[in-house]
Amino acid sequence: MDSLTATARADASSTVPAMAQYTLHEVIALAQHLGRLLRQAPGRLVPEQLLPVVERINDVAQRSPDGCIAAILLCPWVDYTAHHAINTALLACRLTRMLDMPDEDRHTLMLAALTMNVGAVALHNELAIQEAPLSTSQRQVLNAHPLISSCLLRAGGFDNRRLHTLVLTHHERLDGRGYPFHLRGSEIDPLAHTLHVLDIVIAKLMPRSYRSRLPARQALAQVYARAREQMDGNLTTQLVKLFGVYPCGSFVTLQNGQTGLVVKQTEAAGKPLVAVPGNPGQPIDTTSPGNKITESVTSQPGLRHFPSLVPFWPLK
């Protein structure tokens, strides 16, 4: 191990920023922190830098499960690759907890979400602002990035065998048309397939410079439609349940004509608590007369409205 890597190992555990007061601010801060790590020389990325990030995401998901979904739907990004990774890890944490998966699987899946694209950080950021089709050289890098990511992780001391399996195969598809190995069906580790599905969902839910983010219902409907051959239908069904009929962070119209922000899921499907933007302290019970939800609002708030949405999901 060279001196630079040794220094990174010694200092990394103290670099995660202090937890923010609100979930949306926390997710942005974690994405900024991960972006700094990913922009360093890739071979210098070490476990001690990322394990605290996994722990923090796990903590945030426990404290603010509804806020995690809202953050995925609402937070703007600066560094697409890093923010995509944080969002995928958040969704992985929420899904594995809902399905009561073993802690080891949750930890490995979250770590894979943070590192799956380390071999093509610049390319993924480039593609987030590129409307034109991929060039030949871009396609070559994209096809190779699972292999490159695994190599870079090994160079940094990541020795979890299953982590490498997930990183190497997170673009494989059940129909055998994925890459880089063209695995099919049962040849794919189920956890790697879970990462594949989460990766696709988050990509649809995040905006690009040339398009808005897809509403959650539309994004999940598209994924569900592809489930027959390309994805595990049960997994996509569980994601639909996780987001709910009206996901946290989305907007709805009430019977009384008000527009409400969905802030918390309840045990009653399709009847979440909502609030009027600018008034986080008084959630509205959508089972009460006049306050029932009539429809989803497909339009999304502009960036100037983001600060008014932050206080709905406190962490402290």
Side-chain angles (χ1 to χ4, degrees):
M1 183 189 308
D2 61 34
S3 59
L4 287 175
T5 302
T7 300
R9 288 192 186 281
D11 297 342
S13 62
S14 62
T15 59
V16 180
M19 184 173 283
Q21 183 177 359
Y22 299 106
T23 307
L24 273 57
H25 283 163
E26 172 70 7
V27 170
I28 291 173
L30 287 174
Q32 291 172 340
H33 173 66
L34 181 62
R36 289 190 291 271
L37 296 179
L38 295 179
R39 285 191 296 272
Q40 68 184 15
R44 291 174 54 197
L45 193 66
V46 297
E48 288 82 354
Q49 291 172 312
L50 291 184
L51 296 181
V53 180
V54 171
E55 293 173 3
R56 178 66 69 80
I57 293 172
N58 198 43
D59 190 13
V60 171
Q62 286 184 285
R63 294 189 188 204
S64 182
D66 294 303
C68 287
I69 300 300
I72 291 171
L73 299 187
L74 294 172
C75 285
W77 58 265
V78 175
D79 183 321
Y80 179 86
T81 306
H83 208 118
H84 179 100
I86 293 293
N87 280 346
T88 307
L90 279 170
L91 189 54
C93 188
R94 291 283 284 110
L95 179 67
T96 53
R97 286 193 173 279
M98 187 183 81
L99 298 180
D100 199 25
M101 288 188 184
D103 291 346
E104 183 177 356
D105 285 359
R106 178 169 59 255
H107 179 277
T108 302
L109 183 60
M110 292 171 66
L111 188 56
L114 295 178
T115 58
M116 60 185 172
N117 294 327
V118 69
V121 173
L123 176 60
H124 282 87
N125 279 333
E126 187 177 326
L127 294 179
I129 58 174
Q130 175 180 311
E131 190 171 0
L134 272 69
S135 67
T136 300
S137 60
Q138 286 176 327
R139 173 58 65 183
Q140 290 172 339
V141 173
L142 195 66
N143 287 343
H145 87 270
L147 298 165
I148 298 170
S149 295
S150 178
C151 288
L152 291 173
L153 292 175
R154 289 190 186 281
F158 292 84
D159 56 7
N160 181 324
R161 189 170 182 176
R162 200 175 188 197
L163 169 66
H164 287 277
T165 296
L166 267 58
V167 170
L168 285 166
T169 60
H170 74 279
H171 280 295
E172 300 294 338
R173 286 176 22 174
L174 297 182
D175 60 7
R177 298 177 64 184
Y179 64 90
F181 306 114
H182 306 290
L183 302 178
R184 180 183 295 272
S186 61
E187 296 175 329
I188 304 170
D189 185 306
L191 209 59
H193 181 63
T194 299
L195 180 58
H196 172 64
V197 175
L198 297 181
D199 186 21
I200 291 172
V201 170
I202 292 300
K204 291 180 179 295
L205 293 176
M206 289 183 65
R208 303 293 182 99
S209 65
Y210 53 87
R211 67 154 173 83
S212 299
R213 66 178 84 229
L214 290 182
R217 183 178 293 187
Q218 182 180 350
L220 292 168
Q222 290 183 3
V223 171
Y224 192 82
R226 296 168 58 185
R228 184 174 179 182
E229 294 182 355
Q230 299 179 17
M231 302 177 191
D232 179 351
N234 178 62
L235 180 58
T236 56
T237 298
Q238 295 303 321
L239 282 170
V240 170
K241 291 180 180 178
L242 175 59
F243 278 88
V245 178
Y246 304 106
C248 289
S250 63
F251 288 83
V252 294
T253 301
L254 306 180
Q255 283 180 326
N256 60 18
Q258 282 187 308
T259 297
L261 172 67
V262 179
V263 295
K264 182 177 178 60
Q265 296 296 326
T266 67
E267 294 182 1
K271 298 176 181 177
L273 296 181
V274 304
V276 177
N279 192 7
Q282 296 183 357
I284 298 170
D285 179 1
T286 55
T287 64
S288 60
N291 290 324
K292 293 182 179 180
I293 296 173
T294 58
E295 61 181 350
S296 296
V297 177
T298 56
S299 60
Q300 299 172 14
L303 190 59
R304 69 183 185 279
H305 298 298
F306 181 76
S308 68
L309 306 178
V310 169
F312 286 96
W313 297 278
L315 278 171
K316 297 181 180 179

